[in-house]
């Protein structure tokens, strides 16, 4: 029994600090590993692999993966916002992490392990908190957009017109990344009439998509200037889901924002 205990203790004699974005997000040590030890009939110990996989999966869902999770932040003007969904945030590579931990345990490793990720954010702040730097805040209830730098300084703002929910075209809420910045693009609608032709072909000077390449911010010269200061205008002259901006304000945002910056759409 003493020899079996000694051998089992040798298997779990590791301490691994898991890091994301420079911060320690979890620790794997003997207190966690000890219940995962199995003994055969000869009392030879071995480390069960199934509990490790379960531990990693639970860790990812509860502590590591922020993309799509509910996050709360206070805007520099004092408004507190809670928003869920979208694609921006951390996404760990669970399969790769399991392999790394198995190797580290087998080699009695002690120290730091950088969690492999499929997607990352500007910083690590933990589940439920803001993990972005510079961001564009699109407030659907105010019909107003603001762009803040990483220090929280207001760089740009404008009235906007978002998707018309009365026609099923509400702008999706969530936390996204700016996918591209394109000059002189043509926006092509779907063929809802089934006539073999897209419902619209609209040229824009400044195209800044954040949901794939289908929904984004752009100039909208066809909208009345007065509509951009009317927070109810989107209910009758709203878009197909995009965020319409006055041409001069779209140009100013295009010059200020960077691809990869966070775009937050909320009520």
């Amino acid at each position: 029994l003493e020899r079996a205990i000694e051998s089992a203790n040798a298997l779990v004699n590791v301490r691994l600090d898991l890091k994301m974005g420079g911060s320690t997000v979890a620790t794997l040590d003997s207190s966690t590993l000890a219940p995962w030890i199995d003994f055969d009939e000869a009392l030879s110990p071995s480390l069960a692999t199934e509990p490790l996989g379960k531990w990693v999966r639970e860790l990812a869902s509860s502590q590591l993966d922020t993309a799509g999770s509910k996050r709360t932040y206070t805007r520099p003007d004092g408004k507190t916002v809670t928003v869920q969904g979208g694609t921006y945030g951390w996404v760990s590579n669970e399969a790769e992490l399991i392999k790394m931990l198995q190797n580290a345990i087998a080699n009695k490793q002690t120290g730091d392990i950088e969690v492999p990720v499929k997607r990352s954010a500007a910083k690590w702040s933990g589940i439920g908190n803001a993990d972005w730097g510079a961001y564009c805040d699109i407030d659907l209830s105010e019909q107003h957009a603001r762009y803040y730098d990483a220090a929280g300084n207001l760089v740009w703002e404008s009235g906007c017109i978002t998707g018309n929910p009365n026609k099923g075209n509400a702008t999706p809420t969530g936390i996204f990344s700016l996918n591209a910045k394109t000059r002189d693009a043509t926006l092509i609608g779907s063929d809802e009439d089934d006539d073999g032709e897209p419902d619209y072909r609209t040229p824009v000077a400044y195209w800044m998509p954040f949901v794939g390449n289908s929904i984004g911010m752009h100039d909208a010269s066809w909208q009345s200037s007065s509509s951009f200061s009317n927070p109810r205008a989107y209910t009758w002259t709203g878009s197909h889901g995009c965020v319409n901006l006055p041409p001069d304000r779209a140009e100013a945002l295009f010059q200020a924002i960077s691809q990869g910056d966070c775009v937050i759409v909320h009520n």
Side-chain angles (χ1 to χ4, degrees):
L1 286 173
E2 288 177 349
R3 284 196 297 270
I5 292 171
E6 184 178 343
S7 298
N9 283 336
L11 282 178
V12 300
N13 188 26
V14 298
R15 179 186 171 88
L16 301 168
D17 291 322
L18 278 59
K19 299 273 191 176
M20 288 181 76
S23 299
T24 300
V25 295
T27 298
L28 182 61
D29 57 18
S30 58
S31 63
T32 305
L33 288 169
W36 302 349
I37 293 294
D38 286 335
F39 294 90
D40 62 16
E41 291 183 357
L43 294 185
S44 297
S46 62
L47 188 66
T49 56
E50 184 178 342
L52 175 62
K54 182 180 179 182
W55 183 81
V56 168
R57 288 190 295 272
E58 291 178 350
L59 182 68
S61 63
S62 65
Q63 292 180 238
L64 305 184
D65 295 351
T66 65
S69 66
K70 182 184 293 184
R71 281 166 275 185
T72 299
Y73 66 99
T74 300
R75 214 164 55 192
D77 64 358
K79 182 172 183 175
T80 298
V81 175
T82 297
V83 61
Q84 187 171 10
T87 55
Y88 183 92
W90 296 91
V91 178
S92 59
N93 188 329
E94 296 177 25
E96 188 63 27
L97 178 57
I98 291 171
K99 291 179 183 178
M100 292 175 67
L101 293 177
Q102 286 174 332
N103 290 334
I105 293 168
N107 294 320
K108 308 295 189 294
Q109 181 179 335
T110 295
D112 296 341
I113 283 187
E114 192 69 26
V115 176
V117 296
K118 297 178 180 178
R119 198 180 308 149
S120 62
K123 58 185 177 182
W124 171 257
S125 305
I127 292 289
N129 302 312
D131 52 5
W132 49 84
Y135 69 102
C136 188
D137 181 290
I138 301 171
D139 194 320
L140 299 180
S141 61
E142 297 177 359
Q143 289 292 287
H144 201 84
R146 301 168 177 87
Y147 176 67
Y148 297 96
D149 65 16
N153 299 309
L154 180 62
V155 175
W156 170 97
E157 65 178 319
S158 173
C160 64
I161 300 172
T162 59
N164 188 341
N166 296 324
K167 295 184 177 180
N169 295 323
T171 301
T173 58
I175 305 172
F176 308 92
S177 293
L178 190 72
N179 295 324
K181 291 171 58 178
T182 305
R183 284 296 314 271
D184 300 323
T186 298
L187 309 184
I188 302 174
S190 59
D191 181 15
E192 295 180 1
D193 300 332
D194 271 342
D195 59 0
E197 289 293 327
D199 293 339
Y200 61 86
R201 293 178 183 270
T202 306
V204 297
Y206 304 99
W207 174 230
M208 294 163 277
F210 55 84
V211 178
N213 195 45
S214 60
I215 293 178
M217 299 173 284
H218 61 79
D219 52 297
S221 58
W222 56 89
Q223 296 281 17
S224 168
S225 59
S226 61
S227 293
F228 288 108
S229 58
N230 185 339
R232 298 296 301 166
Y234 76 105
T235 61
W236 66 80
T237 189
S239 70
H240 291 88
C242 285
V243 179
N244 289 182
L245 298 169
D248 61 329
R249 302 312 294 149
E251 179 182 9
L253 177 61
F254 190 88
Q255 294 172 351
I257 200 169
S258 298
Q259 183 174 339
D261 281 351
C262 188
V263 178
I264 305 173
V265 185
H266 63 88
N267 290 303

